[in-house]
Amino acid sequence: MSDILFPDNTVLCNFAAVESLNLLRAVLDGRGKWTGAVAREARKSADQLPALHDLRQQGGWLGEAILVTAPDDLENVRHLRTAVFGGQADRHLQHLGEAETCHVIQHWHQFAGAWWISDDKSALEYARGQGIMTAETLDMMQLAVEMGLVTAEDGFALMQKMHQLDRYPRLPRSVADLSPLPWSIAELLPGQIDDEAAAHAT
């Protein structure tokens, strides 16, 4: 299990839309990272979601943006962006965040085993096929409930509000869906692992 989590811009926007970035920050618990492309996407999204401006004002809780600059890295990122994620050749920023994140998790040893937090279904399917651990906004809300950061009722209401504000994460069908946790997602509880997760890990 890795202690590193890479939320993409879609996840950041979901929580920003409902003024709950502090909730995501608490769930990540100092383990969040982002690449340069994701940081740029968030800055651009801040034009519509001003809460995203707080990302830098709150002490840089996603850390310094990870820059991909080596020629071999850039070539693989370009391949992922266009051939895997469908980015157009003349739109150099399209799907760049997904490509950078996928590349560093797969190929940079310091991020081996990191989790990718996204709501992009096709990107998640590819990542799972590559053995990358994935989670979604819904999983982050489940963790927030388990950690006592929000009630299941309030978490459910926040996710419904995301949908009302034209954000489209996978939604819980009911309040009950926010608990209990799937064993794999329970691994993301800061500093602990529940009995069921431990049983699966052995």
Side-chain angles (χ1 to χ4, degrees):
M1 168 186 165
S2 172
D3 287 331
I4 300 172
L5 297 87
F6 282 87
D8 72 5
N9 188 52
T10 302
V11 175
L12 298 175
C13 288
N14 288 340
F15 282 90
V18 295
E19 302 290 335
S20 295
L21 276 174
N22 280 341
L23 185 60
L24 178 62
R25 178 185 184 180
V27 171
L28 297 180
D29 193 40
R31 302 171 295 165
K33 300 288 184 185
W34 58 356
T35 69
V38 174
R40 286 192 296 273
E41 290 171 4
R43 285 196 297 271
K44 183 176 181 180
S45 296
D47 293 340
Q48 285 74 44
L49 295 170
L52 288 169
H53 288 299
D54 292 342
L55 282 172
R56 293 192 178 277
Q57 298 171 1
Q58 293 174 346
W61 49 270
L62 289 173
E64 290 295 322
I66 297 161
L67 302 180
V68 179
T69 58
D72 288 347
D73 290 328
L74 290 172
E75 180 59 33
N76 191 54
V77 167
R78 279 192 290 269
H79 169 75
L80 288 170
R81 190 186 73 78
T82 56
V84 174
F85 297 122
Q88 298 179 25
D90 60 347
R91 296 180 62 187
H92 302 295
L93 300 181
Q94 186 181 31
H95 298 304
L96 184 58
E98 293 98 320
E100 284 188 350
T101 302
C102 185
H103 175 76
V104 300
I105 293 175
Q106 281 188 294
H107 297 288
W108 292 18
H109 68 88
Q110 64 267 44
F111 301 126
W115 286 67
W116 188 3
I117 318 301
S118 176
D119 292 290
D120 184 318
K121 292 181 181 179
S122 61
L124 290 176
E125 287 177 1
Y126 175 79
R128 291 170 188 142
Q130 299 300 305
I132 296 173
M133 299 298 291
T134 66
E136 305 172 51
T137 292
L138 174 57
D139 300 311
M140 296 298 98
M141 194 63 74
Q142 287 178 306
L143 286 169
V145 171
E146 181 69 20
M147 293 165 65
L149 301 171
V150 66
T151 65
E153 291 78 10
D154 287 345
F156 183 81
L158 283 172
M159 296 208 68
Q160 294 297 318
K161 186 176 180 182
M162 290 177 191
H163 188 80
Q164 293 163 8
L165 294 172
D166 297 324
R167 307 299 311 171
Y168 297 105
R170 184 165 58 93
L171 294 177
R173 291 166 296 180
S174 68
V175 171
D177 280 350
L178 291 179
S179 60
L181 290 174
W183 74 265
S184 58
I185 302 304
E187 293 186 51
L188 291 178
L189 288 170
Q192 61 180 307
I193 184 170
D194 69 7
D195 291 340
E196 185 178 0
H200 282 84
T202 56

